[in-house]
Amino acid sequence: MSKRDYYEILGVARNATDPQIKSAYRKLALKHHPDRNPGDAAAEEEFKAAAEAYAIISDPEKRSAYDRFGHAGVSGAAAGGFDPNAFAGFEDIFGNLGDLFGFGDMFGGRRRRGGPQRGSDLRYDLEISFEESFTGSETSIQIPREETCETCKGSGAAAGSAPEVCAQCKGSGQLRFQQGFLTVARPCSTCRGIGKVISKPCQACRGAGRVGRERKITAKIPAGIATGQRLRLYGEGEHGSAGGPPGDLYVVVHVQDHDVFHREEDDLYCHLTVSYPMLAMGGTAQVPTMMGDEQIKIPAGTQIGARFKLRGKGMPNVSGRGHGDLYAITRLAIPKTLTKEQKHLLEELAKTMPQETLDTSESDEAAAKPFFEKVKDIFG
Ligand SMILES: [Zn+2]
Ligand SMILES: [Zn+2]
């Protein structure tokens, strides 16, 4: 199935202004929000599609990439190349909706309380070591969340009693006032809009029907996961109320830097520090890898900044598509102190190499650039 056009999803013109885009997305998000459509898979798909489209079109850089190259221009940004349900590519949308539009307030204020409500999604920031991201791991995390009170099973009423229909509003949760020609509905103050009152509250939750709990949850961290990627643990968010489904728990992963290796996509880069004689005459050098040292042959005349590729020694692909490669980039070890003999030998060597015969074009350029600049060069 071909991917739908983002502008079409949002229902806006290709030259739509930011306020138009925001307003279109807001309408769609409100209409299809999972809280409003509990258990409706089609609505959830629409909601996700709108969120993904908005994530791209609301970002000037991504929008211009999308305008020029279509989905191919932003595929990394939106889908992450991984199951988008597990690693929501629209990372921040669920989390940011509240911030963007004040969703919480909007729903809390407008929605009749007392009906089934989906529990809130939770976010947990997890820091893992570089090694753990390489091997994958299973980690147990402690999260505080709201759960249904076991004592009253969420009703909030003490054992042997049940919530009663509010006499003030007759269970509607709203009171109507005549204001001139208008009828205005306000939340009932007696039951606070719930439509029911609890005369004998449950002791365990003081009538709230929910209690705060610390839960230990085991999260499987797939090998190859990178900073910013996010695991979705279905149903591990806060419990829903009145029979509503639980929210989800999003574990946002932060991978610590490594002293030796630098990651770009699934490839790794490291320095290979070698002596001048080794570069000039060639030899065998040890390259560190995540699985231990490997020996490689350095040909005579190797320049500083030369790259040696160790196939398949990079990071595992998080979607299980093999491993990246490892690039070892040579740099020169210059001794800070020399023995008398070394100094003498270097002087003798220098005499054989008059300055003007040195061909420095290649090595100078490579040496002058910092390591990660060179990394950029490699990929253009
Ligand atoms: Zn209770
Ligand atoms: Zn009432």
Side-chain angles (χ1 to χ4, degrees), residues 350-365:
K351 281 180 207 159
T352 71
M353 292 179 150
Q355 199 61 31
E356 58 271 21
T357 67
L358 290 176
D359 173 14
T360 57
S361 54
E362 208 181 330
S363 55
D364 267 5
E365 194 198 343

Side-chain angles (χ1 to χ4, degrees), residues 261 285-296 310 313:
F261 300 106
Q286 301 261 8
V287 178
T289 80
M290 290 299 289
M291 291 156 283
D293 288 355
E294 297 250 336
Q295 294 218 326
I296 62 163
L310 285 79
K313 301 292 180 183

Side-chain angles (χ1 to χ4, degrees), residues 58-76:
S58 64
D59 180 321
E61 234 178 87
K62 291 178 187 161
R63 183 179 180 179
S64 105
Y66 178 74
D67 286 346
R68 275 178 297 158
F69 308 114
H71 289 290
V74 294
S75 61

Side-chain angles (χ1 to χ4, degrees), residues 149-154 156-157 202-211:
C149 171
E150 294 97 348
T151 311
C152 62
K153 308 228 157 23
C202 162
Q203 299 246 309
C205 63
R206 296 206 191 97
R210 300 154 74 75
V211 282

Side-chain angles (χ1 to χ4, degrees), residues 91-109:
E91 322 269 19
D92 302 317
I93 294 304
F94 279 81
N96 275 356
L97 279 178
D99 303 339
L100 281 175
F101 306 130
F103 252 108
D105 291 340
M106 198 168 286
F107 281 123

Side-chain angles (χ1 to χ4, degrees), residues 113-135:
R113 293 167 72 187
Q117 277 181 42
R118 183 177 176 274
S120 305
D121 292 328
L122 294 175
R123 172 191 169 123
Y124 183 92
D125 288 274
L126 176 69
E127 186 167 288
I128 62 171
S129 68
F130 202 85
E131 285 78 7
E132 281 176 302
S133 79
F134 182 77
T135 56

Side-chain angles (χ1 to χ4, degrees), residues 58-288:
S58 64
D59 180 321
E61 234 178 87
K62 291 178 187 161
R63 183 179 180 179
S64 105
Y66 178 74
D67 286 346
R68 275 178 297 158
F69 308 114
H71 289 290
V74 294
S75 61
F82 194 77
D83 174 12
N85 288 320
F87 276 80
F90 31 88
E91 322 269 19
D92 302 317
I93 294 304
F94 279 81
N96 275 356
L97 279 178
D99 303 339
L100 281 175
F101 306 130
F103 252 108
D105 291 340
M106 198 168 286
F107 281 123
R110 280 194 201 161
R111 188 167 44 184
R112 278 264 332 267
R113 293 167 72 187
Q117 277 181 42
R118 183 177 176 274
S120 305
D121 292 328
L122 294 175
R123 172 191 169 123
Y124 183 92
D125 288 274
L126 176 69
E127 186 167 288
I128 62 171
S129 68
F130 202 85
E131 285 78 7
E132 281 176 302
S133 79
F134 182 77
T135 56
S137 70
E138 200 169 276
T139 186
S140 111
I141 56 182
Q142 193 109 1
I143 54 150
R145 71 180 182 198
E146 292 259 300
E147 297 190 351
T148 306
C149 171
E150 294 97 348
T151 311
C152 62
K153 308 228 157 23
S155 77
S161 78
E164 292 148 29
V165 173
C166 172
Q168 186 76 33
C169 62
K170 307 201 167 48
S172 72
Q174 293 183 337
L175 294 176
R176 291 175 178 280
F177 299 90
Q178 198 73 33
Q179 255 182 21
F181 299 107
L182 296 171
T183 308
V184 181
R186 294 224 180 90
C188 169
S189 57
T190 307
C191 62
R192 275 174 286 144
I194 296 165
K196 285 177 180 167
V197 286
I198 295 161
S199 47
K200 267 198 275 174
C202 162
Q203 299 246 309
C205 63
R206 296 206 191 97
R210 300 154 74 75
V211 282
R213 287 255 188 279
E214 283 268 314
R215 277 290 173 211
K216 229 182 199 168
I217 290 166
T218 305
K220 260 201 152 84
I221 311 296
I225 197 159
T227 289
Q229 286 182 312
R230 159 156 143 156
L231 297 163
R232 183 179 185 178
L233 304 182
Y234 288 91
E236 294 290 6
E238 304 213 294
H239 285 189
S241 58
D248 299 326
L249 169 64
Y250 289 91
V251 178
V252 182
V253 173
H254 305 265
V255 181
Q256 291 166 354
D257 287 339
H258 196 278
D259 290 341
V260 174
F261 300 106
H262 169 77
R263 177 175 185 170
E264 290 276 336
E265 309 279 324
D266 291 336
D267 294 330
L268 290 177
Y269 292 84
C270 71
H271 286 301
L272 178 60
T273 309
V274 278
S275 69
Y276 175 72
M278 167 93 75
L279 288 178
M281 297 187 292
T284 308
Q286 301 261 8
V287 178

